[in-house]
Amino acid sequence: MKIDRPVEWPFEESTGYLREKFAGKNHDIAVVLGSGLGGFTRHIAEEATLSTADIPGYPRSTVTGHSGRIISARVTDKRVLVFSGRVHYYESASTLDAAVTAMVSHSLGIKTIVLTNAAGILNENFYPGDLMLVKDQLNLTSRDVLADLHFPVVNVDPIYSERMARLMYEASEKAGINLKAGTYVGLTGPSYETPAEVRMYRRLGGDAVGMSTVHEAIFARAAGMDVVGISCLTNYSTGITSEKLSHAEVTEIGARVDNKFSSLLTAFISSL
Ligand code: HPA
């Protein structure tokens, strides 16, 4: 899809800096790592690493479990741009900040993006530690990043690439992983859901719930990229069990599924 830019892209300064620092490196794919999933960086061959704090114009992440690094790396024969940590809508109330990974990746000419996240379970057939392929999303943030970019009305269906989803399934079979599939409900956060809200999201058809991904996915799709989503299901969402939910629990489960998650991503990337 060709985009007539109604406004200057935000983050041009950040992109220019990355282009200079990663000069000569053409990335086959971008990967955004969600809360607790930074362990994937131990399974890649890092070639160059930047701290997001050193990148001019790049929004700041303040969340524990998000290291704020952008890494140019090799995974088998592919070159991958890895965002270890992302900025959430609730950190600055900006959809643009929330979608910076996708905007920068697009500006660098990357055509495929894997968005990963930690998410709460809505579907009772799923268990903490499961990985879920995002087949569709419910953007319940009441915001649309494309409005904040002054886009015209645009059809983004399907947001998540069906071709890439097939490749991800094949990769899961190769890696011996039981990959679930479902609909991701994206909220602004930072408060976790109430039991009544969880009942509503289940009735609406949600399988997992989290505080990221939807704006990155919408922007990336509108910009013509192939979008893949993987949720790491870290906990039952509020009210499904009597346990109290905490961010520490979310990052701990993320760390426990590290090997499974990393094998899946590695198998997927090498199959491209
Ligand atoms: N709700 C919202 N976001 C989350 C959850 C949850 O239960 N778990 C991890 N991220």
Side-chain angles (χ1 to χ4, degrees):
M1 183 188 311
K2 161 139 176 27
I3 307 166
D4 291 323
R5 292 199 273 169
V7 288
E8 276 300 297
W9 289 130
F11 310 119
E12 278 298 308
E13 196 188 2
S14 307
T15 306
Y17 183 84
L18 288 167
R19 210 176 268 130
E20 192 186 306
K21 293 289 174 187
F22 295 150
K25 299 189 192 329
N26 283 327
H27 298 96
D28 300 296
I29 184 166
V31 174
V32 183
L33 299 175
S35 295
L37 300 174
F40 177 64
T41 58
R42 285 196 300 272
H43 303 265
I44 61 182
E46 293 192 20
E47 291 189 330
T49 301
L50 297 174
S51 165
T52 54
D54 297 332
I55 302 173
Y58 201 91
R60 300 273 168 272
S61 174
T62 54
V63 182
T64 316
H66 284 259
S67 73
R69 288 184 301 147
I70 301 180
I71 303 158
S72 178
R74 289 250 172 213
V75 174
T76 62
D77 61 334
K78 302 294 184 315
R79 187 169 269 136
V80 187
L81 189 69
V82 179
F83 293 82
S84 186
R86 58 151 70 80
V87 182
H88 297 81
Y89 177 80
Y90 59 76
E91 295 180 73
S92 61
S94 159
T95 58
L96 303 183
D97 287 358
V100 63
T101 56
M103 280 190 252
V104 163
S105 299
H106 168 64
S107 295
L108 291 174
I110 302 172
K111 299 277 183 261
T112 306
I113 189 164
V114 181
L115 302 170
T116 75
N117 55 55
I121 296 170
L122 296 170
N123 181 331
E124 276 175 5
N125 296 319
F126 296 167
Y127 298 93
D130 279 351
L131 298 176
M132 184 190 93
L133 177 72
V134 180
K135 295 197 86 167
D136 204 351
Q137 69 182 30
L138 281 165
N139 172 14
L140 298 186
T141 66
S142 302
R143 299 288 302 271
D144 186 327
V145 61
L146 301 182
D148 294 331
L149 285 167
H150 309 283
F151 263 62
V153 173
V154 55
N155 186 342
V156 292
D157 176 55
I159 292 183
Y160 294 90
S161 159
E162 287 163 1
R163 187 169 65 88
M164 289 293 157
R166 274 195 298 278
L167 291 179
M168 190 61 89
Y169 262 125
E170 284 166 21
S172 72
E173 279 169 8
K174 226 182 261 165
I177 290 160
N178 178 6
L179 182 63
K180 305 287 166 51
T183 297
Y184 176 86
V185 176
L187 306 170
T188 63
S191 45
Y192 284 123
E193 306 70 50
T194 65
E197 286 163 345
V198 165
R199 287 196 295 276
M200 174 175 75
Y201 302 141
R202 283 156 60 100
R203 284 200 187 147
L204 292 177
D207 296 296
V209 59
M211 304 176 191
S212 68
T213 304
V214 290
H215 295 295
E216 291 158 300
I218 290 171
F219 173 82
R221 174 66 179 88
M225 299 173 79
D226 283 331
V227 183
V228 195
I230 297 288
S231 291
C232 170
L233 306 181
T234 51
N235 56 276
Y236 290 108
S237 41
T238 314
I240 296 188
T241 66
S242 54
E243 273 182 44
K244 284 275 173 240
L245 179 57
S246 71
H247 186 66
E249 179 192 347
V250 168
T251 49
E252 191 204 306
I253 291 277
R256 265 199 261 157
V257 299
D258 177 38
N259 275 339
K260 184 159 87 165
F261 174 77
S262 297
S263 320
L264 176 65
L265 275 192
T266 304
F268 172 73
I269 292 166
S270 38
S271 76
L272 291 177

